[in-house]
Amino acid sequence: MNILVIGDSCSDIFRYGKVNRIAPEAPVPIIIPEKETVNPGMAGNVVANLKALGANVDLITNKEEIRKIRYVCSKYNHLLLRVDENDTCTPIRDIEIEMGKYDAIIISDYCKGFLDERMIEAISNTDECPVFLDTKKVLGDWCRNIDYIKINYQEYLNNKEILNMLPNLKNKTIVTRGKYGCDFRDKNYPTIDVPVKDVSGAGDTFLSGLVVEYINSGFNVDSAIKFAQECTTKVIQKSGVSTI
């Protein structure tokens, strides 16, 4: 299975430490660093999950390093602060895709500047393989050729009016809703209740599981959604940005 991922990537950095007291000069916790983890994030996390699921993956992404640094209380796994460094990147102006090589294309658009609407529309204009989109942008006619769109519930609320006006887009949109499962074509797919440690990167895991099972099942989106939820349920029980 060969998959092409296109989108913004970053370094996900978690700095864990002890928190035993509040600063005397301001009502903020004092953290004493203990350990640090660094993982590929955003489109990079999609790639890591796809590889963990057995796929061969190529990545087209930004050259600049975007850094998301999270400070976490080790004892309670409580997020204290997130610092985003170099939060934008240079847009890509041209992409050459070797069509016929890939079983699916994933566009992981975190809206950091790497992909604009024109570029996403050009990428999706293919009949060679299914194209999946996960985007922070407001949806529109520019994504009419996308096969499946994955957004979370807050993103759905931001797009609700547009989706109601564009039933073709609504019909291909999968809405993830955390503990409330996900919605697709007026059907809710429930999920099991598990103890949650960290939801960072859970959407990337869902997307990866969705695409892998969609291909493995012979393009059965129902089976793909259920498998994606199983993958997500596993990673949210781990600390930090984790792969399935």
Side-chain angles (χ1 to χ4, degrees), residues 22 53 63 69 72 81 145 179 190 192 211:
I22 301 298
L53 290 167
K63 293 182 173 61
I69 307 169
V72 183
L81 176 69
N145 293 323
K179 66 180 180 179
I192 60 173
V211 175

Side-chain angles (χ1 to χ4, degrees), residues 67-161:
R67 287 158 53 96
K68 294 182 181 179
I69 307 169
R70 298 169 175 89
Y71 293 85
V72 183
C73 170
S74 299
K75 185 175 182 180
Y76 298 105
N77 200 54
H78 179 68
L79 178 63
L80 303 173
L81 176 69
R82 181 175 130 178
V83 179
D84 289 4
E85 294 181 348
N86 193 27
D87 200 38
T88 59
C89 55
T90 304
I92 188 168
R93 298 303 182 190
D94 187 43
I95 295 178
E96 291 187 11
I97 299 174
E98 187 179 343
M99 302 312 301
K101 177 180 178 180
Y102 299 106
D103 298 296
I105 296 173
I106 297 176
I107 303 172
S108 178
D109 174 36
Y110 273 80
C111 218
K112 303 299 182 182
F114 187 67
L115 294 168
D116 59 20
E117 296 173 358
R118 177 194 63 83
M119 183 59 68
I120 294 175
E121 183 176 10
I123 296 168
S124 65
N125 189 25
T126 176
D127 295 324
E128 295 287 337
C129 65
V131 180
F132 295 77
L133 172 66
D134 184 1
T135 183
K136 306 299 181 187
K137 290 181 174 61
V138 175
L139 302 176
D141 192 56
W142 53 273
C143 49
R144 65 187 178 278
N145 293 323
I146 298 291
D147 292 280
Y148 292 99
I149 302 167
K150 198 282 299 179
I151 55 177
N152 62 37
Y153 188 64
Q154 183 57 55
E155 292 160 354
Y156 165 74
L157 294 178
N158 295 339
N159 285 282
K160 188 174 181 179
E161 184 176 344

Side-chain angles (χ1 to χ4, degrees), residues 25-244:
E25 64 272 18
V28 295
I30 296 173
I31 183 169
I32 302 173
E34 294 179 307
K35 68 174 182 176
E36 178 177 294
T37 63
V38 182
N39 304 95
M42 301 194 303
N45 187 39
V46 175
V47 171
N49 276 276
L50 289 169
K51 289 181 176 179
L53 290 167
N56 300 312
V57 190
D58 290 333
L59 172 64
I60 299 175
T61 190
N62 46 286
K63 293 182 173 61
E64 302 93 339
E65 185 187 15
I66 297 173
R67 287 158 53 96
K68 294 182 181 179
I69 307 169
R70 298 169 175 89
Y71 293 85
V72 183
C73 170
S74 299
K75 185 175 182 180
Y76 298 105
N77 200 54
H78 179 68
L79 178 63
L80 303 173
L81 176 69
R82 181 175 130 178
V83 179
D84 289 4
E85 294 181 348
N86 193 27
D87 200 38
T88 59
C89 55
T90 304
I92 188 168
R93 298 303 182 190
D94 187 43
I95 295 178
E96 291 187 11
I97 299 174
E98 187 179 343
M99 302 312 301
K101 177 180 178 180
Y102 299 106
D103 298 296
I105 296 173
I106 297 176
I107 303 172
S108 178
D109 174 36
Y110 273 80
C111 218
K112 303 299 182 182
F114 187 67
L115 294 168
D116 59 20
E117 296 173 358
R118 177 194 63 83
M119 183 59 68
I120 294 175
E121 183 176 10
I123 296 168
S124 65
N125 189 25
T126 176
D127 295 324
E128 295 287 337
C129 65
V131 180
F132 295 77
L133 172 66
D134 184 1
T135 183
K136 306 299 181 187
K137 290 181 174 61
V138 175
L139 302 176
D141 192 56
W142 53 273
C143 49
R144 65 187 178 278
N145 293 323
I146 298 291
D147 292 280
Y148 292 99
I149 302 167
K150 198 282 299 179
I151 55 177
N152 62 37
Y153 188 64
Q154 183 57 55
E155 292 160 354
Y156 165 74
L157 294 178
N158 295 339
N159 285 282
K160 188 174 181 179
E161 184 176 344
I162 292 171
L163 289 173
N164 287 334
M165 291 189 299
L166 298 172
N168 179 50
L169 292 189
K170 187 174 183 179
N171 197 44
K172 61 179 71 174
T173 299
I174 300 168
V175 182
T176 58
R177 301 181 59 194
K179 66 180 180 179
Y180 301 107
C182 73
D183 298 333
F184 179 63
R185 294 182 182 172
D186 298 320
K187 177 181 177 180
N188 178 261
Y189 293 75
T191 189
I192 60 173
D193 189 23
V194 295
V196 178
K197 279 194 173 182
D198 203 322
V199 297
S200 301
D204 300 327
T205 301
F206 181 96
L207 181 62
S208 302
L210 178 78
V211 175
V212 167
E213 180 62 17
Y214 185 76
I215 297 168
N216 283 337
S217 65
F219 308 139
N220 185 324
V221 68
D222 186 75
S223 175
I225 290 174
K226 292 175 181 177
F227 179 73
Q229 288 182 301
E230 291 176 15
C231 294
T232 306
T233 298
K234 292 180 180 180
V235 298
I236 62 174
Q237 297 180 70
K238 303 178 182 181
S239 297
V241 174
S242 303
T243 56
I244 182 65

